[in-house]
């Protein structure tokens, strides 16, 4: 078997996760932490590029890994323009959009830039895989009740697409032949339906769908408008209430499912009610996505950090098992998902896509 040595880089707001793989086997993994003081001098996300690149290269040197020994470098994809799923070569057009933050300023914009900068030293390819802006909606999925607004595809694409590939492999089926309802259970919750390898509808966890550990999900629109015009809140206040300070955090003061389940085990009635309400809303959204494909679903798939919870997954399974078999793939390993997407290109299983 041919050996491919791949560096994967996942920049977050206060850390840079990195790992080197030899094919599917991890050789080393490291999380580089960035304190508030260290990041304070940088006004824009792109200003952090040289700082983070030097730290990644220093970590490689500390593990006696030469850039010239790598086969490819892959970074987490930032919120780019709407695009098909897949593994993309980091070209000049993409690099420019990542620099300016074409959709928004986010630390993940640095992923493709770091991959390209390091890969260029050895003349090897740089990739990103399934960024959050993957958009494979069919026209019906975009329409809302107001012509001024349309639904946008923004979701946990990297994890859901990686898990869909694993499901296909485990079932011995062609990835493009399966129809799956996929659920990412994390700080935000994405619920989508994938048919013929394309995510034809999905909830943007910042805008709609079930509430989650930190996000409000769909809300009564009239009540939300009243809150916005009450004079009590600024625009930034409302944004925080919807994303970051909502969901389990707002109801129970924590986003930690383990803590909540300990409260439930101790007889906390409110914790029981809120946790089950979250499961209820997740199940309801799964049911809605099943209707998109007329109920013809090969599997409902639960993944993400909260998929480790037997209590939560049972609550969901009990309501949706009539639709199809329910498969559980706990956790979310973004570095592994990046490497898997890169290996599909290096092995000729897929062709790299071009960002235009």
């Amino acid at each position: 078997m041919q050996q491919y040595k791949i560096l994967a880089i996942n920049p977050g707001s206060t850390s840079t996760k990195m790992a080197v793989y030899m094919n599917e086997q991890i050789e080393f993994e490291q999380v580089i932490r960035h304190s508030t003081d260290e990041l304070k001098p940088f006004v824009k996300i792109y200003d952090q590029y040289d700082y983070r690149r030097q730290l990644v290269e220093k970590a490689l040197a500390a593990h006696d890994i030469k850039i010239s020994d790598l086969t490819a470098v892959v970074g987490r994809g930032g919120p780019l323009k709407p695009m098909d799923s897949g593994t993309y070569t980091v070209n000049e057009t993409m690099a420019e959009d990542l620099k300016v933050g074409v959709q928004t300023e986010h630390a993940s914009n640095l992923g493709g830039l770091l991959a390209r900068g390091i890969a260029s030293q050895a003349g090897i390819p740089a990739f990103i895989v399934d960024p959050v802006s993957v958009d494979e909606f069919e026209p019906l999925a975009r329409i809302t009740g107001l012509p001024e607004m349309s639904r946008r595809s923004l979701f946990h694409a990297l994890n859901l697409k990686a898990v869909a590939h694993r499901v296909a492999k485990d079932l011995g089926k062609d990835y493009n032949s399966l129809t799956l309802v996929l659920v990412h259970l994390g700080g935000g919750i994405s619920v989508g339906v994938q048919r013929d390898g394309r995510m034809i509808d999905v909830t943007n966890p910042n805008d709609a769908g079930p509430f989650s550990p930190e996000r409000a999900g769909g809300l009564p629109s009239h009540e939300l408008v009243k809150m916005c015009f009450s004079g009590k809140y600024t625009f930034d206040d409302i944004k925080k209430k919807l994303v970051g300070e909502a969901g389990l955090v707002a109801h129970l003061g924590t986003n930690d499912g383990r803590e909540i389940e300990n409260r439930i085990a101790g007889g906390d009635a409110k914790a029981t009610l809120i946790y089950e309400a979250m499961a209820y809303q997740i199940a309801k959204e799964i049911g809605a996505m099943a209707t998109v494909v007329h109920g013809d679903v090969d599997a409902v798939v639960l993944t993400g950090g909260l998929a480790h919870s037997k209590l939560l997954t049972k609550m969901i399974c009990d309501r949706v098992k009539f639709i199809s078999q329910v498969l559980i793939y706990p956790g979310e390993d973004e570095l592994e998902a990046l490497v898997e997407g890169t290996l599909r290109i290096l092995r000729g299983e897929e062709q790299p896509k071009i960002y235009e």
Side-chain angles (χ1 to χ4, degrees):
M1 180 186 292
Q2 189 164 350
Q3 299 295 298
Y4 299 108
K5 197 163 194 166
I6 302 167
L7 167 63
I9 306 170
N10 180 7
S13 57
T14 60
S15 69
T16 302
K17 297 176 183 177
M18 59 178 290
V20 172
Y21 280 72
M22 183 65 79
N23 291 351
E24 287 86 359
Q25 297 301 312
I26 191 166
E27 293 199 337
F28 93 90
E29 182 176 4
Q30 184 169 335
V31 180
I32 304 169
R33 305 289 180 186
H34 312 300
S35 70
T36 303
D37 287 341
E38 288 170 328
L39 296 179
K40 190 178 292 184
F42 306 113
V43 178
K44 294 182 175 296
I45 292 293
Y46 178 62
D47 297 340
Q48 301 175 20
Y49 171 77
D50 287 330
Y51 160 75
R52 296 211 195 204
R53 177 173 160 177
Q54 289 168 11
L55 290 173
V56 170
E57 292 178 357
K58 184 178 178 180
L60 289 174
H63 287 83
D64 296 321
I65 293 175
K66 297 176 182 176
I67 295 172
S68 58
D69 292 336
L70 299 173
T71 310
V73 187
V74 59
R76 181 180 172 198
L80 289 153
K81 294 172 184 173
M83 56 206 292
D84 281 350
S85 61
T87 300
Y88 284 76
T89 301
V90 184
N91 59 15
E92 188 62 34
T93 303
M94 180 186 293
E96 287 303 315
D97 280 356
L98 291 171
K99 286 177 185 177
V100 300
V102 66
Q103 279 220 55
T104 187
E105 284 267 303
H106 193 275
S108 60
N109 288 340
L110 293 169
L113 295 170
L114 290 168
R116 189 170 190 250
I118 292 171
S120 66
Q121 299 177 51
I124 56 177
F127 302 110
I128 65 164
V129 181
D130 292 326
V132 296
S133 52
V134 164
D135 184 347
E136 298 170 329
F137 274 12
E138 295 184 338
L140 285 175
R142 302 186 189 279
I143 308 301
T144 76
L146 289 176
E148 300 92 336
M149 299 182 190
S150 61
R151 294 182 65 237
R152 294 195 303 159
S153 177
L154 291 166
F155 67 105
H156 296 88
L158 180 60
N159 188 41
L160 290 187
K161 289 286 183 176
V163 168
H165 279 284
R166 291 170 199 159
V167 169
K169 184 177 179 181
D170 290 346
L171 294 181
K173 299 285 184 68
D174 175 37
Y175 172 81
N176 293 310
S177 73
L178 289 173
T179 300
L180 304 170
V181 176
L182 295 146
V183 186
H184 174 92
L185 300 170
I189 294 174
S190 297
V191 185
V193 58
Q194 179 164 298
R195 182 176 63 195
D196 301 331
R198 298 178 64 81
M199 193 74 74
I200 59 175
D201 200 348
V202 69
T203 55
N204 176 347
N206 287 351
D207 287 348
F211 72 82
S212 70
E214 299 174 352
R215 305 182 196 186
L219 293 169
S221 56
H222 187 71
E223 293 302 310
L224 179 58
V225 170
K226 282 171 60 178
M227 178 181 283
C228 291
F229 285 89
S230 67
K232 297 179 182 178
Y233 307 102
T234 66
F235 178 75
D236 286 339
D237 290 337
I238 293 292
K239 282 176 64 178
K240 289 177 184 175
K241 283 187 76 67
L242 295 178
V243 179
E245 298 177 356
L248 297 181
V249 169
H251 283 289
L252 300 173
T254 181
N255 61 3
D256 189 334
R258 292 164 299 184
E259 179 184 335
I260 293 168
E261 291 188 22
N262 285 336
R263 291 192 208 173
I264 292 170
D268 186 326
K270 182 179 180 182
T272 302
L273 175 67
I274 299 302
Y275 210 53
E276 188 167 0
M278 185 173 74
Y280 170 90
Q281 291 192 8
I282 294 165
K284 191 162 68 167
E285 195 68 24
I286 291 169
M289 288 298 169
T291 68
V292 172
V293 289
H294 307 280
D296 184 13
V297 177
D298 292 302
V300 174
V301 185
L302 308 180
T303 183
L306 279 174
H308 285 288
S309 167
K310 288 183 170 56
L311 176 61
L312 181 66
T313 54
K314 184 179 186 304
M315 288 177 175
I316 298 167
C317 289
D318 285 348
R319 292 184 182 274
V320 304
K321 61 188 177 184
F322 75 95
I323 298 171
S324 186
Q325 62 180 323
V326 181
L327 307 176
I328 301 175
Y329 288 72
E332 175 188 18
D333 192 330
E334 291 175 326
L335 293 171
E336 183 180 3
L338 293 172
V339 170
E340 288 172 351
T342 303
L343 284 170
R344 289 193 292 272
I345 300 300
L346 297 177
R347 290 169 174 164
E349 298 167 10
E350 296 177 7
Q351 292 299 311
K353 295 190 174 179
I354 305 300
Y355 179 78
E356 299 179 31

